[in-house]
């Protein structure tokens, strides 16, 4: 991790500018930004832990708490609502047997609501980690979840 | 039914490629011709003059004249920065996504010309986290542009150098507001700054900075290649050029459409082009712009005409809604969005959007009667005119107009 942080710092030349990119990197590697990472970032970038913490709580895609390996963000803005986002959320919650903001006991999935993700022409849409899924239906989302589960088993 | 001159004049979307979004194809289509000529023949001021003459207005929502913004950048202070705003967070808006993914070189050429005009040697693209494909395409386009020497050190053998870096956001609508965006890039929470000073004078790290939207910058190579006169042959006197609309919601053909400014009405766009049938209303430029009722759609899509109707062109994110879901839900969600995205810096916005949302939620859940709608309007009135940035203001106006226009229908629902 240290090496990657230093690489980002080198690219952006300035630790303040590099900070959010570093946090994005840690989020994608670990699934959340824990105290240990904050400590490390603070040491390398010479930015106070409190300042780093304030960013972690400000941005929606950076989590303070441990999340599942697959973070499902369901868009709940109006164009998606008009195309059944509410039903999609309840289907996802049912399939995984968790509520919004929770993680499955096996640590595989977390579900979050999110605002418009810019895919309104193919609503309803979701993001899983860094991947976009569009035009979803009950069947499609079930397939996607099942496929992830199967890949994880093998 | 009257036949609409369907997208006859696509000047930007013609550069969008499903598959061949590579540099060779862009060059084949005449790409980088403008940049070559400018670096050989024109002084920076002459570029600014041409863009001024074109009448191009910012496509990020506020509609500020682009040439004038560049003109305000002080000449003597160094360094200067150009930042492309690719945060596209306005609900119902996805036109920048299309350009970023399918015409990345058009944006890079636009950014390079803009940087030359204002004297910036460093530029950034502030890209929202939600656009991973755009990220991949942009990184690739930057790399290939450097390889071809359209970017990087001593571009095309001249003294002008430019470095473009990609800065990825982390999910916060407010970071699309230009000063919050600057704070975010400086490693802080995305809280808007008090204006003035404007970014043109004191922006990124306190230096002169031009912040421009993706679509705005994509127009620049075309203006510089074909001239301000040519650009003015599209659209209206006050709103020259074309506009890309993102249409979503209760229509048969949602998607991206480009039309000349002011040459199509909202009604033609929604019904004839996109195949809407029975609808209730439309947000013309994202949910930050007050909705129009189905009977009010006979209005030209340009900055001035929509303003006269009490709303805005905004981002061009046209959201069409019907009764598929209750109107009170659409209204509550509108307030909820701003409540979730309020940065918390100023009290009227932070508290006001929260109250508004709570009241509307209780109306929706039938916990309070329809008098709740009066209370909601009162809260809107208290928010208006008191916020640090437009976020709280747009929430209040949008929700208030929604209640006033759809009151009868909402009361019928609850
Ligand atoms: C709350 C809020 C969000 C905004 N979001 C965006 C955005 O996502 N993209 C954008 O280009 N402009 C956005 N803007 C407008 C910018 O502040 C700024 O006016 C624009 O980037 C300037 O570029 P232009 O002159 O090319 O339009 C937003 C403004 C506000 C108040
Ligand atoms: S509202 Fe869901 S993608 Fe835009």
């Amino acid at each position: 991790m240290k090496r990657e942080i230093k690489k980002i710092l080198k690219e952006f030349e300035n630790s303040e500018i590099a900070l959010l990119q570093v946090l994005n990197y840690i989020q994608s590697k670990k699934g959340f930004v824990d105290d240990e990472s904050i400590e490390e970032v603070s040491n390398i970038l010479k930015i106070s832990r409190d300042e780093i913490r304030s960013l972690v709580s400000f941005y929606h895609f950076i989590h303070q708490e441990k999340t599942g390996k697959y973070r499902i963000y369901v868009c709940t803005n109006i164009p998606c609502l008009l195309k059944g986002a509410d039903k999609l959320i309840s289907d996802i919650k049912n399939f995984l047997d968790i509520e919004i903001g929770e993680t499955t006991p096996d640590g595989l999935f977390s579900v979050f609501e999110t605002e418009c993700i810019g895919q309104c022409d193919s609503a309803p849409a979701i993001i899983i980690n860094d991947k976009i899924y569009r035009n979803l239906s009950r069947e499609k989302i079930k397939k996607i979840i099942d496929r992830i589960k199967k890949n994880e088993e093998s | 039914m009257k036949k609409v001159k369907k997208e006859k004049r696509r000047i930007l979307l013609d550069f969008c490629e499903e598959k061949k979004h590579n540099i060779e194809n862009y060059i084949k289509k005449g790409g980088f011709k403008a940049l070559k000529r400018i670096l050989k023949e024109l002084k920076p001021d002459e570029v600014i003059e041409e863009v001024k003459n074109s009448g191009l207005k910012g496509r990020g929502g506020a509609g500020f004249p682009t040439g004038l913004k560049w003109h305000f950048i002080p000449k003597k202070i160094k360094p200067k920065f150009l930042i492309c705003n690719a945060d596209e967070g306005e609900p119902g808006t996805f036109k920048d996504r299309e350009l970023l993914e399918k015409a990345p070189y058009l944006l890079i050429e636009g950014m390079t010309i803009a940087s030359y005009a204002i004297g910036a040697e460093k530029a950034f693209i502030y890209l929202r986290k939600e656009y991973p494909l755009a990220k991949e395409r942009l990184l690739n386009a930057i790399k290939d542009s450097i390889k071809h020497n359209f970017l990087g050190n001593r571009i095309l053998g001249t003294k002008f150098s430019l470095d473009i870096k990609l800065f990825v956001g982390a999910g916060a609508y407010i970071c699309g507001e230009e000063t919050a965006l600057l704070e975010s890039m400086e490693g802080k929470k995305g809280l808007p700054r008090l204006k003035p000073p404007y970014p043109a004078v004191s922006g990124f790290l306190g230096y002169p900075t031009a912040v421009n939207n993706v679509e705005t910058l994509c127009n620049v190579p075309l203006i510089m290649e074909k001239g301000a006169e040519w650009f003015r042959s599209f659209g209206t006197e006050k709103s020259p050029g074309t506009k890309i609309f993102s249409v979503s919601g209760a229509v048969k053909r949602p998607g991206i459409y480009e039309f000349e400014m002011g040459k199509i009405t909202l009604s033609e766009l929604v019904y004839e082009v996109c195949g809407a049938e029975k609808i209730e209303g439309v947000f013309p430029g994202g949910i930050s712009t007050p909705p129009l009722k189905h009977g009010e759609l006979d209005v030209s899509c340009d900055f001035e005409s929509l303003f006269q109707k009490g709303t805005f062109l905004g981002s061009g994110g046209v959201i069409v809604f019907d009764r598929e879901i209750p109107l009170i839900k659409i209204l509550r969600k509108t307030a909820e969005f701003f409540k979730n995205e309020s940065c918390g810096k100023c009290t009227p916005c932070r508290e006001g959007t929260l109250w508004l949302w709570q009241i509307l939620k209780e109306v929706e859940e039938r916990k309070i009667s329809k008098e709740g709608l009066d209370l909601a309007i009162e809260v809107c009135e208290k928010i208006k005119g008191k916020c640090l940035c437009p976020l709280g203001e747009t929430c209040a106006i949008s929700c208030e107009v929604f209640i006033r226009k759809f009151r009868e229908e909402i009361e019928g629902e609850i």
Side-chain angles (χ1 to χ4, degrees):
Chain A
M1 204 162 87
K2 209 177 198 145
R3 246 191 40 217
E4 190 62 27
I5 297 176
K6 287 197 168 148
K7 207 174 115 196
I8 297 172
L9 177 59
K10 198 166 160 228
E11 190 191 343
F12 287 89
E13 291 165 20
N14 162 320
S15 45
E16 275 81 26
I17 307 173
L19 178 57
L20 193 60
Q21 307 308 299
V22 166
L23 296 180
N24 272 338
Y25 166 74
I26 296 170
Q27 170 64 42
S28 75
K29 276 280 139 187
K30 283 197 163 176
F32 70 129
V33 178
D34 54 350
D35 282 343
E36 191 192 329
S37 309
I38 291 178
E39 184 77 40
E40 187 164 6
V41 174
S42 172
N43 288 336
I44 300 174
L45 297 186
K46 310 268 178 292
I47 295 174
S48 80
R49 276 166 293 181
D50 283 348
E51 261 173 77
I52 299 173
R53 255 188 218 107
S54 77
L55 287 207
V56 171
S57 65
F58 185 81
Y59 294 97
H60 304 316
F61 290 119
I62 299 178
H63 298 276
Q64 289 167 286
E65 311 287 331
K66 194 167 166 41
T67 60
K69 183 169 176 190
Y70 295 89
R71 292 170 293 285
I72 306 180
Y73 299 93
V74 187
C75 173
T76 58
N77 213 288
I78 293 165
C80 279
L81 279 184
L82 286 160
K83 300 287 174 186
D86 269 355
K87 243 199 105 274
L88 183 67
I89 288 196
S90 69
D91 286 339
I92 294 175
K93 290 199 298 196
N94 275 337
F95 291 147
L96 298 174
D97 199 18
I98 50 172
E99 290 300 313
I100 300 294
E102 291 181 352
T103 302
T104 51
D106 58 5
L108 264 190
F109 297 97
S110 303
V111 187
F112 304 96
E113 290 183 344
T114 194
E115 298 301 347
C116 177
I117 57 175
Q119 307 289 342
C120 335
D121 50 344
S122 318
I126 65 171
I127 303 181
I128 304 182
N129 294 350
D130 264 338
K131 213 166 165 265
I132 311 262
Y133 297 86
R134 310 160 9 128
N135 290 315
L136 291 173
S137 59
R138 189 186 159 84
E139 292 68 39
K140 273 194 189 163
I141 188 66
K142 183 158 192 321
K143 252 194 206 148
I144 293 165
I145 291 174
D146 285 345
R147 195 175 340 115
I148 293 176
K149 280 186 181 163
K150 216 163 145 201
N151 282 345
E152 285 295 323
E153 273 164 23
S154 58
Chain B
M1 197 163 43
K2 198 172 82 204
K3 193 129 172 57
V4 176
K5 292 166 276 159
K6 239 191 175 180
E7 289 185 87
K8 238 178 86 197
R9 305 208 120 164
R10 296 166 35 125
I11 63 175
L12 294 169
L13 292 186
D14 267 354
F15 283 91
C16 287
E17 295 280 355
E18 287 302 326
K19 293 226 166 70
K20 292 189 286 182
H21 38 74
N22 53 43
I23 197 162
E24 289 78 15
N25 191 47
Y26 181 65
I27 294 170
K28 211 159 73 195
K29 283 177 141 179
F32 292 116
K33 239 162 80 187
L35 180 68
K36 278 186 199 156
R37 184 177 74 89
I38 288 167
L39 292 185
K40 222 192 275 159
E41 298 171 7
L42 297 184
K43 293 201 186 73
D45 273 346
E46 292 172 311
V47 178
I48 296 182
E49 207 48 39
E50 191 74 20
V51 173
K52 250 197 216 165
N53 290 340
S54 77
L56 173 65
K57 288 180 179 173
R59 306 294 199 237
F64 192 82
T66 307
L68 198 58
K69 188 183 277 188
W70 296 356
H71 175 86
F72 286 145
I73 306 252
K75 299 262 172 307
K76 296 243 165 70
I77 306 174
K78 272 187 164 181
K80 295 185 253 281
F81 297 99
L82 174 83
I83 296 174
C84 168
N85 189 342
D87 200 42
E88 192 160 68
E90 181 60 43
T93 313
F94 42 96
K95 45 112 187 160
D96 292 342
R97 180 201 82 203
E98 183 83 358
L99 292 167
L100 293 162
E101 289 177 357
K102 298 180 184 162
Y105 293 98
L106 186 62
L107 177 65
I108 286 178
E109 186 177 3
M111 289 182 70
T112 311
I113 296 170
S115 299
Y116 175 76
I118 65 167
E121 297 204 324
K122 193 143 202 157
F124 292 90
I125 302 170
Y126 190 106
L127 179 71
R128 69 187 312 219
K129 183 86 192 299
E130 291 89 334
Y131 287 174
L133 182 59
K135 177 180 168 186
E136 188 189 312
R137 300 249 167 104
L138 284 169
L139 285 174
N140 192 47
I142 291 172
K143 201 177 77 208
D144 280 356
S145 302
I146 295 174
K147 235 189 256 160
H148 284 74
N149 199 215
F150 293 122
L151 193 64
N153 277 333
R154 306 186 68 97
I155 296 172
L156 300 171
T158 64
K159 277 193 216 135
F160 173 59
S161 299
L162 178 69
D163 174 38
I164 298 182
K165 284 224 173 353
L166 196 61
F167 187 98
V168 180
Y173 167 67
I174 191 61
C175 289
E177 193 283 329
E178 55 188 11
T179 61
L181 181 151
L182 296 171
E183 291 284 298
S184 172
M185 284 187 57
E186 291 177 8
K188 292 174 257 175
K189 291 195 278 183
L191 309 182
R193 298 175 184 168
L194 211 55
K195 288 193 262 191
Y198 289 91
V201 176
S202 174
F204 186 48
L205 307 172
Y207 294 104
T209 304
V211 183
N212 281 118
N213 170 259
V214 174
E215 187 185 350
T216 310
L217 290 165
C218 284
N219 273 297
V220 171
L222 305 175
I223 292 169
M224 292 314 297
E225 195 202 330
K226 299 181 178 162
E229 273 312 304
W230 169 84
F231 189 73
R232 280 192 169 280
S233 73
F234 302 101
T236 65
E237 171 70 28
K238 285 188 175 154
S239 301
T242 64
K243 177 79 194 91
I244 305 181
F245 298 94
S246 332
V247 188
S248 67
V251 292
K252 284 215 188 83
R253 294 179 288 279
I256 315 267
Y257 298 91
E258 181 177 7
F259 288 98
E260 285 187 61
M261 281 273 194
K263 296 290 167 73
I264 184 164
T265 66
L266 209 47
S267 158
E268 288 166 334
L269 176 61
V270 163
Y271 290 107
E272 292 164 43
V273 178
C274 297
E277 275 167 6
K278 213 176 144 15
I279 68 169
E280 285 296 323
V282 174
F283 289 101
I287 65 176
S288 293
T289 61
L292 292 166
K293 275 193 107 155
H294 57 86
E296 298 178 303
L297 302 183
D298 203 15
V299 50
S300 295
C301 297
D302 59 72
F303 290 106
E304 294 74 28
S305 309
L306 283 158
F307 186 69
Q308 274 172 10
K309 284 267 188 176
T311 184
F312 304 96
L313 178 67
S315 60
V318 179
I319 306 173
V320 182
F321 52 93
D322 54 11
R323 297 297 275 276
E324 180 67 28
I325 58 173
L327 294 172
I328 180 66
K329 190 165 169 175
I330 296 178
L331 174 60
R332 185 263 300 157
K333 182 62 218 187
T334 305
E336 185 173 291
F337 170 74
F338 293 104
K339 186 259 306 172
N340 288 346
E341 299 298 330
S342 171
C343 75
K345 184 167 175 175
C346 73
T347 314
C349 174
R350 184 186 62 239
E351 298 299 316
T353 55
L354 178 63
W355 291 354
L356 183 61
W357 171 73
Q358 276 169 342
I359 294 165
L360 293 173
K361 193 154 174 58
E362 294 195 354
V363 174
E364 183 184 10
E365 289 165 356
R366 299 184 171 80
K367 286 193 186 132
I368 50 175
S369 62
K370 54 192 186 192
E371 280 72 48
L373 296 174
D374 293 317
L375 198 57
I377 288 183
E378 233 176 87
V379 174
C380 291
E381 273 164 358
K382 294 229 162 73
I383 297 174
K384 283 193 295 186
K386 299 193 184 63
C387 301
L388 184 71
C389 90
L391 189 143
E393 187 82 15
T394 48
C395 171
I397 301 178
S398 210
C399 290
E400 184 183 343
V401 169
F402 199 109
I403 298 171
R404 291 193 194 280
K405 286 192 179 167
F406 295 98
R407 177 134 201 171
E408 218 172 286
E409 292 86 341
I410 295 174
E411 285 180 359
E413 286 170 356
I414 55 181

